[in-house]
Amino acid sequence: MASGANEARGAEAIAETFLASGLGLWIDGRDVPAVGGARRDVVDPSTGAVVCSVAEGTAQDVDIAVIAARKAFNAPEWRKLKPLLRERMLHRLADLIERDADILAQLEARDTGKILPAARYGDVVIALDSLRYTAGWTTKIEGTTITPSFSYIPDVQFSARTVREPVGVVGQIIPWNFPLVMAIWKIAPALAAGCTVVLKPAEDTPLSALYLARLVDEAGIPAGVVNIVTGGREVGVALVEHPDVDKIAFTGSTSAGQDIQRRAASTMKRLSLELGGKSPVVVLADCPVPMAVEGAAGAIFFNHGQVCTAGSRLIVHRSIYEDVVQGLAAAANGMTLGTSDDPQAQMGPLISARQRDRVKGFVEGALAQGARLVAGGTVPEGDGFFYRPTVLADGTPEMTIFRDEVFGPVVIALPFDTEEEALRLANDTCFGLGASVWTSDLHAANRFASGLKAGNVWINAHNILDPAVPFGGWKMSGYGHELGHSAIELYTEVKAITMPLL
Ligand code: NAD
């Protein structure tokens, strides 16, 4: 047997042992049961079978975790740790993720239903890149020097400087679509800035974060710097309302983001909110049809459409509209769905029966409102929460499917005649997360790049993210950019220090 296969089998066995270990919360460097003793089942969405159970935290557990995070924030071994040593710790954590990449991929695939190669060569690699990139920021957090005038103090010269200080204890709340990537996007910049964290994974996908906690410990990061409280909405709300949490970093739905913003008002917590989207894919008349089809398929079907920047509105020039729609339908019909360990599978299930039924409801609603079904729209036989990749055509801006986020493998296509119309349709949304334009006309591409109202615009690409490129939303897609240098700004406060020069 090839050594790769041996390693994969070893990783599977280690993942199984981990799953059977009676996973608790991770607080102050230790696995602990939830105070109330409750547990929640973790389900493999590709089979519907229970994989294991994890502790179900409550507000009481959040209190304990916040105390641990505050103690760690104030402790000299973290607060006074020199930036280079903090950077080295983060690289050590990256080394351990690299060592255990196959195990993490196993856990991620079981937890989310995504196919194993996607978990191993997508999620784990993206998480690693992000961690290594962010580790480098540790030593590059800088301020400015200023010569103020103070014209009302005429005889004295002054000097001022700014420093960036860690914001403090951060509550981090993440969704289920990319659990490991989201955990790293949150934890890495917080630690690089010198914060400590209490992270709440999504209730459906707690596994990779709990495994990561053990690697954090092994990397020598002090106890209490990273705490994981698994559980439902109650845990998230407790973090948001906690008086000793200085900031909330949230990724999830716009409705939860709105609730968080309201609740955070009483303590004036810092917030960064990465919320939902309804991203347009605009195909101009000159785009070759095969390129448009491949691009549109990747934009909507990647991660089963459970992507906040999923290209869920396909806006195509009328001259190639039907060709692109039919090409995309053929691509959708040709996709093989299967369990995470099925080597033939190209796409996995949705995260839960609830989510599958929600997606199904959106498609039924779209058909009732006059959309044309071109591919998919069915729930395959068998266990697991599968939904066929679906192409709907002849959409209008009035349809719910055009306006609301589905978070599944469903695209609504509609034609346009003029550039102005395409731009108007693309921007006709309360969201502003991602958008792409497909053309070889450089000037048209630039006109769209400047006209599209979204935090991330791609030209002849969609859904590509890099740790060096800031990522975040406009409008109801939230605020605060993760990745790039912006991520450090999210986890630091500016302090201005002024003094007279004698
Ligand atoms: P969700 O908002 O229901 O849950 C996300 C997380 O927030 C979970 O951990 C959940 O337990 C917690 N939560 C829910 N309500 C809360 C509240 N009122 N207060 C505090 N915590 C609360 O979202 P989901 O269904 O898990 O994920 C899908 C959504 O996430 C989609 O809308 C998607 O667009 C969005 N998303 C956005 C990005 C981005 O970067 N913008 C990335 C991934 C997912």
Side-chain angles (χ1 to χ4, degrees):
M1 190 187 290
S3 73
N6 271 329
E7 277 167 26
R9 195 151 291 181
E12 209 177 321
I14 296 170
E16 286 299 335
T17 308
F18 176 71
L19 295 177
S21 65
L23 294 164
L25 313 172
W26 189 266
I27 297 179
D28 212 6
R30 283 180 308 122
D31 178 275
V32 293
V35 172
R39 299 190 67 79
R40 180 191 289 256
D41 285 345
V42 177
V43 171
D44 179 341
S46 63
T47 61
V50 174
V51 170
C52 68
S53 73
V54 299
E56 176 78 356
T58 61
Q60 274 181 292
D61 299 294
V62 168
D63 268 343
I64 297 167
V66 171
I67 289 168
R70 177 61 63 189
K71 193 176 78 185
F73 182 71
N74 289 330
E77 56 267 32
W78 184 244
R79 209 178 170 74
K80 299 215 162 116
L81 191 68
K82 296 207 166 159
L84 259 177
L85 294 177
R86 227 167 40 230
E87 176 177 350
R88 198 179 295 170
M89 275 183 183
L90 291 178
H91 278 300
R92 220 179 290 147
L93 176 60
D95 292 342
L96 296 172
I97 293 176
E98 229 156 21
R99 182 196 71 190
D100 290 358
D102 289 328
I103 302 165
L104 279 160
Q106 288 282 346
L107 294 173
E108 202 72 331
R110 295 286 291 279
D111 215 2
T112 60
K114 57 183 85 188
I115 56 172
L116 198 52
R120 173 65 185 84
Y121 301 105
D123 296 57
V124 174
V125 170
I126 293 168
L128 258 173
D129 278 2
S130 180
L131 179 53
R132 292 222 184 267
Y133 167 85
T134 312
W137 272 107
T138 308
T139 51
K140 296 161 194 73
I141 300 172
E142 296 172 341
T144 53
T145 56
I146 304 153
T147 305
S149 298
F150 292 116
S151 37
Y152 49 89
I153 316 175
D155 299 331
V156 187
Q157 295 292 316
F158 284 85
S159 171
R161 67 193 155 94
T162 62
V163 290
R164 283 193 169 272
E165 295 190 358
V167 72
V169 172
V170 184
Q172 305 184 313
I173 304 169
I174 58 175
W176 39 258
N177 54 347
F178 295 96
L180 178 66
V181 173
M182 291 291 120
I184 292 291
W185 279 22
K186 296 282 182 278
I187 291 172
L191 267 52
C195 297
T196 59
V197 309
V198 179
L199 178 108
K200 187 197 105 56
E203 40 276 60
D204 287 320
T205 54
L207 298 179
S208 53
L210 290 173
Y211 193 86
L212 183 66
R214 284 142 177 87
L215 299 185
V216 165
D217 189 52
E218 195 181 337
I221 294 170
V225 169
V226 174
N227 305 277
I228 313 282
V229 180
T230 48
R233 182 175 178 277
E234 178 191 344
V235 172
V237 168
L239 277 171
V240 174
E241 293 188 335
H242 202 292
D244 205 30
V245 170
D246 300 296
K247 176 198 160 72
I248 293 289
F250 173 77
T251 297
S253 60
T254 293
S255 59
Q258 288 170 315
D259 183 59
I260 288 170
Q261 180 152 318
R262 278 190 290 269
R263 288 178 195 271
S266 60
T267 50
M268 209 56 86
K269 280 187 177 55
R270 277 41 185 151
L271 291 180
S272 45
L273 302 173
E274 301 277 3
L275 308 177
K278 192 75 198 174
S279 302
V281 173
V282 180
V283 181
L284 303 192
D286 72 315
C287 180
V289 170
M291 180 173 159
V293 168
E294 194 182 334
I300 186 60
F301 298 139
F302 169 54
N303 207 48
H304 332 156
Q306 301 171 123
V307 180
C308 47
T309 49
S312 53
R313 292 182 300 139
L314 177 61
I315 301 167
V316 188
H317 191 267
R318 197 177 297 278
S319 61
I320 54 169
Y321 172 68
E322 200 55 38
D323 290 346
V324 173
V325 165
Q326 293 304 332
L328 187 57
N333 287 332
M335 293 192 97
T336 307
L337 274 53
T339 53
S340 53
D341 58 352
D342 176 353
Q344 306 303 323
Q346 296 166 299
M347 191 193 270
L350 299 181
I351 193 68
S352 60
R354 190 172 133 261
Q355 182 67 5
R356 182 202 51 206
D357 294 345
R358 190 170 166 270
V359 171
K360 185 168 168 276
F362 268 113
V363 173
E364 286 164 1
L367 297 178
Q369 289 182 327
R372 169 166 56 110
L373 182 67
V374 197
T378 54
V379 175
E381 296 272 307
D383 300 327
F385 313 130
F386 292 91
Y387 193 78
R388 284 291 323 166
T390 298
V391 181
L392 297 166
D394 305 348
T396 64
E398 292 71 39
M399 290 178 183
T400 309
I401 195 85
F402 182 91
R403 313 216 75 86
D404 288 4
E405 183 176 49
V406 175
F407 225 57
V410 179
V411 64
I412 178 75
L414 58 168
F416 71 87
D417 293 301
T418 64
E419 246 186 48
E420 294 68 34
E421 187 189 3
L423 198 55
R424 186 162 27 84
L425 286 169
N427 286 334
D428 186 5
T429 170
C430 64
F431 297 112
L433 195 54
S436 65
V437 57
W438 296 77
T439 178
S440 39
D441 178 340
L442 190 59
H443 296 294
N446 279 320
R447 281 196 295 278
F448 274 88
S450 77
L452 287 164
K453 290 185 170 36
N456 286 77
V457 173
W458 295 286
I459 298 169
N460 296 332
H462 198 102
N463 276 343
I464 50 167
L465 302 176
D466 183 86
V469 181
F471 174 74
W474 290 14
K475 304 197 278 180
M476 288 184 80
S477 293
Y479 49 80
H481 277 64
E482 298 191 295
L483 308 182
H485 60 86
S486 332
I488 296 301
E489 287 161 24
L490 297 183
Y491 291 97
T492 50
E493 295 270 27
V494 173
K495 181 185 278 177
I497 303 166
T498 307
M499 63 180 287
L501 297 173
L502 296 177

